[in-house]
Amino acid sequence: MASFKPKKEHRFSFGLWCTANRGRDPFGEETRSRLDPLTNIKELGKRNVYGFNFHDDDLIPFGANLQLRNKIIKGTKQIMRDYNIVCSMATTNLFYHRVFKDGAFTSHDPRVRAFALQKVMKNMDLGAELGAKTYVFWGGREGTEVDASKTPGEAIKRYRECMNYLCSYARHQGYNYRFAIEPKPNEPRGDIFLATTGHVLAFIETLDYPEMVGVNPEIEHSRMAGLNTYHDFGQAMEAGKLYHVDLGAQKPNRFDQDLRFGSEDIKETFFVVKLLEDNNWAGTRNFDEHPYRNEDEKGVWDFVEGSMKTYLILWDKVRQFNADKKIQQILKDIHGTDPALEHLMGRYTPEGASKLRAQSFDPMALSKKRLPYEELDQRLQELLMGVA
Ligand code: GCO
Ligand code: MN
Ligand code: MN
């Protein structure tokens, strides 16, 4: 039996804010004490986590002076070397400070938008210094409660201006970043702009440098919107736009619960792992989730280890699925083949279209093809429950 122990080569990563989460929620104070960022990185590194992600303010307190900033950066680099952990992604906190109460990139106030740009540029510099290759944009405050206050058109236009500006900045600095925009339907705003993977994919095509920008879908955010995460991740991958992923778990149609990976909807989660592994997806297997509020400091590390272990177990199930004779036979059988017709449909030509129009079909006969999805799903179910 495999041990399901994480290794650096598995390329797992965590946001520093996940493990440093203190269990605060809108109704209650924190239940855990502050975990300082350097200890955080060290503890992740010790557990064979490959990379950490940070918001500027996770690492360097908002408003810190240069001396403190330099001290923390030096310490971070030392720990990265000592514990063989990389900085896999950087991002900006554009949601906590009250200055962003009505948005950052989409604020009506040009001074707030300019401050937001400045905050991002400064942290892009730091991310690049620490070796991050991905820069994530999560517009948590880019939304409304009062639709009379802002039109979606002006918000999206400003969002675009800021993204274009930052793409140019990264290019000018010679940074090798890929930008990943993270959709979320709501929370903390009543409604957030760029609510789903589909919104983000469409938006990217309107940017000056669309090739620099992709999506960072999050399991929890798709499920908050009642969407199928596997489909979200899958469409982004097919578009060549899956630049980063946020893994976690979520009961559907609720606030962002940030539950431990795999703790909800194991089947959908299985397909997310299958998508990433079958396609040898190049990014880090990144978790964005929080330990339960009831946990103490030890529970935080149980949560980290549990997330990685579940991923490795699901990956093992993927291998079983791919090797399972019954499943593979069904998958083979349900795919019809007709090379002549496929050729006809493959590329439009006027002659081909005439042939296709003249073709005779027997729809009743076609409809009789057996599709044993009961058997297929039951087999998968048994495999996931450990009896196949
Ligand atoms: C959330 C988001 C954030 C972002 C993070 C990275 O719902 O709070 O998922 O955790 O992923 O800010 O930019
Ligand atoms: Mn989230
Ligand atoms: Mn996220």
Side-chain angles (χ1 to χ4, degrees):
M1 172 114 180
S3 68
F4 307 117
K5 289 252 184 320
K7 300 194 182 103
K8 295 283 177 185
E9 73 213 41
H10 293 134
R11 297 168 60 85
F12 288 122
S13 63
F14 281 85
L16 291 184
W17 63 92
C18 303
T19 35
N21 177 278
R22 287 185 288 162
R24 232 180 15 197
D25 70 21
F27 301 94
E29 61 182 4
E30 60 262 24
T31 57
R32 292 182 285 269
S33 49
R34 184 176 173 275
L35 175 63
D36 94 274
L38 298 196
T39 312
N40 196 350
I41 301 171
K42 179 161 123 188
E43 291 299 321
L44 289 169
K46 281 200 323 211
R47 287 170 174 81
N48 272 340
V49 173
Y50 165 84
F52 72 91
N53 310 326
F54 74 105
H55 299 95
D56 43 0
D57 305 344
D58 296 335
L59 201 55
I60 313 214
F62 186 90
N65 63 27
L66 200 61
Q67 203 189 356
L68 178 58
R69 182 181 163 92
N70 289 340
K71 186 169 163 234
I72 297 174
I73 295 174
K74 194 162 166 235
T76 303
K77 288 182 177 167
Q78 186 65 47
I79 292 211
M80 286 168 68
R81 278 193 297 273
D82 291 351
Y83 291 86
N84 186 22
I85 178 165
V86 306
C87 172
S88 38
M89 180 272 263
T91 182
T92 328
N93 187 326
L94 297 175
F95 45 87
Y96 194 81
H97 197 283
R98 63 184 78 179
V99 67
F100 302 123
K101 66 187 177 188
D102 194 27
F105 295 169
T106 62
S107 165
H108 279 312
D109 189 335
R111 293 165 303 178
V112 173
R113 299 202 297 276
F115 176 60
L117 284 180
Q118 183 196 71
K119 202 166 184 293
V120 177
M121 289 191 288
K122 284 188 178 167
N123 200 48
M124 269 190 195
D125 300 348
L126 176 55
E129 188 179 339
L130 296 178
K133 299 276 184 297
T134 306
Y135 207 93
V136 162
F137 294 84
W138 173 62
R141 294 281 171 202
E142 317 293 5
T144 55
E145 289 76 37
V146 176
D147 275 344
S149 69
K150 198 175 282 175
T151 71
E154 63 189 329
I156 294 296
K157 187 168 167 293
R158 288 179 190 144
Y159 221 131
R160 180 181 303 114
E161 268 169 21
C162 288
M163 291 307 297
N164 284 340
Y165 190 94
L166 293 166
C167 283
S168 291
Y169 178 73
R171 290 168 70 89
H172 188 238
Q173 298 298 119
Y175 296 154
N176 250 339
Y177 281 127
R178 298 211 298 175
F179 290 178
I181 301 179
E182 178 176 346
K184 186 173 184 180
N186 60 272
E187 197 207 8
R189 299 311 300 266
D191 289 289
I192 296 181
F193 301 116
L194 302 183
T196 68
T197 293
H199 290 76
V200 173
L201 287 174
F203 176 70
I204 290 170
E205 295 311 311
T206 71
L207 298 175
D208 286 348
Y209 299 102
E211 66 287 353
M212 282 180 74
V213 187
V215 193
N216 176 36
E218 172 168 310
I219 291 183
E220 297 94 298
H221 299 179
S222 297
R223 290 173 59 76
M224 283 172 73
L227 297 175
N228 182 320
T229 307
Y230 175 46
H231 292 194
D232 273 357
F233 280 48
Q235 186 171 348
M237 182 185 278
E238 200 277 337
K241 288 295 181 193
L242 193 63
Y243 283 13
H244 196 259
V245 296
D246 277 1
L247 305 174
Q250 167 79 27
K251 295 175 199 282
N253 306 103
R254 289 164 170 81
F255 66 95
D256 194 354
Q257 296 174 313
D258 280 318
L259 303 172
R260 192 184 69 262
F261 178 74
S263 61
E264 291 294 327
D265 206 336
I266 202 80
K267 205 193 289 175
E268 197 169 295
T269 312
F270 164 85
F271 280 107
V272 168
V273 174
K274 186 167 189 303
L275 179 81
L276 301 180
E277 299 308 333
D278 281 353
N279 290 286
N280 274 320
W281 182 70
T284 54
R285 277 54 180 163
N286 176 61
F287 299 101
D288 185 12
E289 46 179 25
H290 297 158
Y292 300 131
R293 184 164 186 264
N294 56 276
E295 292 299 329
D296 57 9
E297 282 72 12
K298 177 179 179 306
V300 171
W301 304 108
D302 291 343
F303 147 90
V304 165
E305 287 164 8
S307 300
M308 296 190 287
K309 185 169 182 185
T310 299
Y311 190 99
L312 294 174
I313 294 171
L314 285 175
W315 189 5
D316 198 52
K317 297 285 180 193
V318 170
R319 291 192 196 95
Q320 279 183 46
F321 181 100
N322 292 342
D324 189 279
K325 292 212 170 59
K326 195 168 180 183
I327 290 177
Q328 294 310 316
Q329 188 59 50
I330 296 176
L331 290 178
K332 201 162 158 245
D333 293 345
I334 61 177
H335 285 84
T337 50
D338 190 323
L341 270 183
E342 281 171 83
H343 179 73
L344 259 191
M345 291 184 294
R347 205 168 70 85
Y348 179 86
T349 61
E351 304 73 47
S354 316
K355 277 194 197 154
L356 190 50
R357 285 175 58 103
Q359 177 88 24
S360 66
F361 293 97
D362 181 351
M364 278 313 281
L366 290 180
S367 76
K368 295 226 168 73
K369 184 175 168 59
R370 275 211 80 223
L371 296 172
Y373 295 167
E374 290 291 356
E375 204 186 339
L376 176 62
D377 190 69
Q378 178 66 25
R379 182 75 186 165
L380 168 58
Q381 202 72 359
E382 288 171 12
L383 198 147
L384 291 176
M385 291 187 292
V387 294

